[in-house]
Amino acid sequence: MAEASRIFQTTLLPTFSSLQKPRLVSHHPPNLAHKKYQTIHCLSSSVSTSDDITTAKAATTVTQMVPWGCDIDSSDNAAALQRWLSNNGLPDQKMAIDKVEVGERGLVALKNIRKGEKLLFVPPSLVITADSEWSCPEAGEVLKQYSVPDWPLLAIYLISEANLQKSSKWSNYISALPRQPYSLLYWTRAELDRYLEASQIRERAIERITNVIGTYNDLRLRIFSKYPDLFPEEVFNLETFKWSFGILFSRLVRLPSMDGKVALVPWADMLNHSCEVETFLDYDKSSQGVVFTTDRQYEPGEQVFISYGKKSNGELLLSYGFVPREGTNPSDSVELSLSLKKSDKSYKEKLEALKKHGFSASQCFPVRVTGWPVELLAYAYLAVSPPSMSSKFEELAAAASNKTTIKKDVGFPEIEEQALQFILDSCESSISKYTKFLQASGSMDLDVTSPKQLNRRLFLKQLAVDLCNSEQRILFRAQNVLRRRLRDIRSGELRALKIFDGFRNWFK
C-alpha cells in the first residue's frame, strides 16, 4: 500500500480538464477568528447592473479563511455527517468513518468485505452536480444564462450553499469539509519558489493558481459585478473561490456511466487513496447509486481504499497534497526538462519545426522508473542533429510531439551517442538541483517566534523533501541506465577501432 505523506495530507490543484478521484482532507490548520459573511439576497424581479469593481481589487481582497467547514476532523462532525446521509437515503453501509493511519480519517470496514463486492450505493439525491437545485434559484438561472461551465458553476454553487449554513440542504456535508486545507492555492509564490524550486511541479502549480485567479476575475467582471445582490463581494471573492476550487480539485469525480458528468459525492469522498488498488467510482444503473467494486478483500477494522488514478508523486502532491512513501508508487515519474541550445547552428530551423507541433525550445517529458517515452528520445535526436539532417527536423519534431504516423521506434545510430549524452546532461543538471535543495533543507531559517508559522513551514518543507527524494531517485536510475548504454556504445566503438587498426597494421 502506498503510504501518504508522513505528516499530513492536503488538497491541491489538478487541471480543469483532468478531473480526479476524491480523497479525504484531514489537516488541522490554525484556528483563527473568522468574519461572518452576509447572506445572499435572492431577488424576485430585477437585479442591479452596477459594474464598479476593479480587477486589481479582486487580487487583493479578503485574506481570511472562510467561515465554513471544520478546523478539526472531530468525531461529532463525522457522526453528524453519517446521520444526515442515512436520514437522506444512504443505505446501510459496511463501512464507517473512523480515524486511520493513512489519511487520519477514512472509511473503515465494519464487516468482512469480499473481493469484487459493490460498496457505497450513494443515491443521486445525495450527489452534487451542475444540475443540482439551488437554494437561491435566481443565482442559478443567471449563471445558466451566461453558460458558465460545470467547474466554475459548481464552485459558485458550493459557495452559495455554504454561505446559507443551516438553511442549506448540504449544511451537514459542508460542515464536514476542511475550512482551510494546506492547498497549493494557499501557498505563496515565495513558498512555491523555495520549496518546489527543484521540481517541475512548481511551474504546473503556478499555472493552476493563475487559472483559478483568472477564472474568478472573469466571473467577477462579467457576472458578479452586474448582479451584486445575488453575488455580493463579501461572499463571492478570491478567498472563497480558493476554498471552493480547493474542494473541487480534491473531491470532484467524473462518472463515466452518467455521460461523464462531474460530481461531488458525499461519503464517497471520505475514501483515501492506495497505489495498490485500481478500483474507482462510477454510477451503477442497476442499483441507481454511485458505487465502486473492491479489487481485494477487507477484514473488520481495515481501511478501505480506492485509486485516484495512476499518477506520479508530483501529480498526487499537485492534486491532493500528499506524497506516497518513496518507492511505493509504481506509477511514479519525474518531469525532465530538455532545451535546444541557442548556440546550435540550426537553432532557428529546429525551433520552427517544434513550433509547428505546439512545442517550444524547452520541453518537459516524463521519466519513469521503467524508462522514458519515445517522444523524449525524438526530441533529443532533434536537439543534437547536425545541419546535414535538416530534412529530418520536421519528422523528429512530429515524433517528439506524438503527432506522427511514422513507426514508434526512432533511431539514428550515427547520432545515438550524442542524443543519449544530451539526455544524460539534462538528467545530471536536474539531479544537481535536487541535491542542492536537499542539502539546504536541513538548515532553513525557520521562524521559531511563531509556532503556527513554524508548523506550516515544517509541513511544506517535509512535503517538498518527500517529493524531491522520490523524483531524484528516478533520475538516479535513469542516469545509471544512460551511463551503461553510453559505456556499451563507446566500448563497441573502441572494439571496432581496434579491429580496424589491426587490419591496417596487417596490411602494412
Side-chain angles (χ1 to χ4, degrees):
M1 178 185 67
E3 296 288 343
S5 173
R6 290 177 302 209
I7 302 180
F8 300 101
Q9 294 184 23
T10 59
T11 61
L12 302 178
L13 295 168
T15 58
F16 287 91
S17 60
S18 177
L19 303 178
Q20 315 294 341
K21 301 295 184 291
R23 65 171 298 278
L24 166 67
V25 182
S26 56
H27 292 299
H28 303 167
N31 186 9
L32 305 177
H34 308 295
K35 169 186 174 181
K36 293 295 182 181
Y37 292 152
Q38 296 178 359
T39 302
I40 301 171
H41 299 287
C42 294
L43 303 181
S44 58
S45 54
S46 61
V47 293
S48 172
T49 57
S50 64
D51 189 13
D52 57 352
I53 306 176
T54 65
T55 302
K57 187 176 180 182
T60 58
T61 188
V62 186
T63 57
Q64 294 173 307
M65 287 190 295
V66 298
W68 317 307
C70 61
D71 289 318
I72 298 176
D73 296 327
S74 68
S75 56
D76 289 341
N77 279 333
L81 175 62
Q82 206 156 357
R83 285 195 303 271
W84 172 77
L85 289 166
S86 298
N87 292 337
N88 285 274
L90 185 73
D92 291 341
Q93 300 284 308
K94 286 190 174 183
M95 302 174 293
I97 303 173
D98 204 350
K99 292 183 178 180
V100 292
E101 291 183 2
V102 179
E104 293 193 6
R105 187 174 67 173
L107 295 185
V108 173
L110 295 175
K111 303 176 181 179
N112 286 316
I113 296 174
R114 303 183 311 274
K115 179 180 179 180
E117 188 171 350
K118 288 183 179 180
L119 300 176
L120 287 179
F121 301 100
V122 179
S125 60
L126 288 174
V127 176
I128 298 175
T129 70
D131 298 324
S132 293
E133 183 179 355
W134 289 66
S135 296
C136 179
E138 293 91 341
E141 285 301 317
V142 167
L143 297 176
K144 290 179 181 178
Q145 289 172 14
Y146 279 84
S147 300
V148 176
D150 287 356
W151 263 83
L153 181 70
L154 284 169
I156 299 169
Y157 180 86
L158 199 57
I159 296 170
S160 177
E161 297 298 318
N163 184 62
L164 294 177
Q165 299 185 20
K166 295 294 184 180
S167 301
S168 171
K169 167 187 175 180
W170 306 104
S171 173
N172 289 95
Y173 173 60
I174 293 170
S175 295
L177 295 175
R179 189 185 298 271
Q180 184 183 352
Y182 280 105
S183 167
L184 279 187
L185 284 173
Y186 292 93
W187 287 38
T188 66
R189 179 58 183 268
E191 288 167 345
L192 291 172
D193 291 344
R194 184 176 193 184
Y195 297 113
L196 298 179
E197 60 180 340
S199 176
Q200 290 296 326
I201 290 298
R202 169 185 168 276
E203 295 300 322
R204 293 175 62 182
I206 292 172
E207 179 183 358
R208 291 177 180 184
I209 292 171
T210 301
N211 285 342
V212 170
I213 295 174
T215 299
Y216 165 71
N217 283 336
D218 176 66
L219 290 168
R220 183 184 55 79
L221 289 172
R222 289 195 306 115
I223 304 174
F224 298 166
S225 61
K226 296 177 181 178
Y227 302 94
D229 290 328
L230 289 175
F231 307 103
E233 188 181 9
E234 58 267 28
V235 176
F236 297 90
N237 52 61
L238 188 55
E239 287 306 309
T240 59
F241 262 73
K242 285 182 181 181
W243 174 80
S244 61
F245 270 106
I247 297 299
L248 296 184
F249 288 145
S250 62
R251 293 167 181 264
L252 202 64
V253 295
R254 187 179 294 277
L255 302 172
S257 296
M258 292 184 73
D259 299 323
K261 182 176 292 186
V262 293
L264 286 170
V265 187
W267 183 251
D269 58 9
M270 293 294 170
L271 288 161
N272 285 315
H273 168 80
S274 169
C275 295
E276 291 188 351
V277 303
E278 296 184 358
T279 187
F280 56 91
L281 298 177
D282 198 4
Y283 179 73
D284 181 58
K285 294 181 180 178
S286 61
S287 62
Q288 297 186 337
V290 176
V291 305
F292 73 96
T293 304
T294 60
D295 56 6
R296 53 154 292 188
Q297 64 180 21
Y298 295 94
E299 296 180 357
E302 279 192 279
Q303 182 177 183
V304 180
F305 294 98
I306 61 170
S307 171
Y308 299 163
K310 295 182 178 180
K311 305 182 187 304
S312 69
N313 286 0
E315 289 171 324
L316 289 170
L317 173 61
L318 185 66
S319 302
Y320 306 104
F322 67 92
V323 178
R325 192 176 297 277
E326 185 179 351
T328 61
N329 182 4
S331 299
D332 199 10
S333 66
V334 57
E335 294 286 317
L336 180 64
S337 178
L338 303 180
S339 300
L340 295 179
K341 294 181 179 179
K342 290 188 176 180
S343 59
D344 190 331
K345 293 179 181 179
S346 302
Y347 177 82
K348 290 184 178 180
E349 293 84 351
K350 293 177 181 179
L351 180 58
E352 188 64 30
L354 288 170
K355 285 183 176 179
K356 287 182 180 179
H357 297 280
F359 271 14
S360 62
S362 296
Q363 201 66 37
C364 289
F365 296 91
V367 176
R368 299 184 181 277
V369 173
T370 54
W372 48 81
V374 67
E375 289 82 3
L376 181 151
L377 190 58
Y379 189 100
Y381 275 125
L382 176 64
V384 302
S385 56
S388 59
M389 290 182 61
S390 59
S391 62
K392 299 290 185 180
F393 290 172
E394 181 72 23
E395 177 184 319
L396 288 170
S401 64
N402 199 23
K403 297 177 182 177
T404 178
T405 57
I406 66 172
K407 63 180 182 178
K408 271 292 185 179
D409 294 332
V410 179
F412 295 90
E414 66 273 24
I415 59 171
E416 181 181 6
E417 180 182 347
Q418 295 96 306
L420 294 179
Q421 185 63 55
F422 175 78
I423 298 173
L424 178 60
D425 291 343
S426 299
C427 187
E428 291 180 337
S429 176
S430 291
I431 288 174
S432 67
K433 294 178 182 178
Y434 286 103
T435 301
K436 180 181 178 182
F437 170 77
L438 291 170
Q439 288 176 344
S441 63
S443 59
M444 289 188 170
D445 54 325
L446 302 178
D447 182 11
V448 296
T449 62
S450 176
K452 291 180 180 179
Q453 187 66 14
L454 173 62
N455 290 340
R456 173 183 169 82
R457 292 182 182 180
L458 284 174
F459 162 69
L460 297 183
K461 186 175 74 168
Q462 185 64 64
L463 279 178
V465 168
D466 289 347
L467 178 64
C468 285
N469 278 325
S470 68
E471 293 187 338
Q472 189 184 53
R473 171 178 170 268
I474 297 173
L475 291 174
F476 275 137
R477 182 175 177 84
Q479 179 190 52
N480 291 334
V481 172
L482 288 163
R483 285 177 174 175
R484 285 198 303 270
R485 178 59 182 153
L486 285 167
R487 186 168 58 246
D488 291 343
I489 291 174
R490 288 161 184 166
S491 63
E493 291 175 348
L494 182 60
R495 285 195 299 270
L497 182 59
K498 287 180 178 179
I499 293 172
F500 176 77
D501 286 342
F503 275 113
R504 186 173 60 179
N505 292 334
W506 186 77
F507 279 109
K508 285 182 178 180

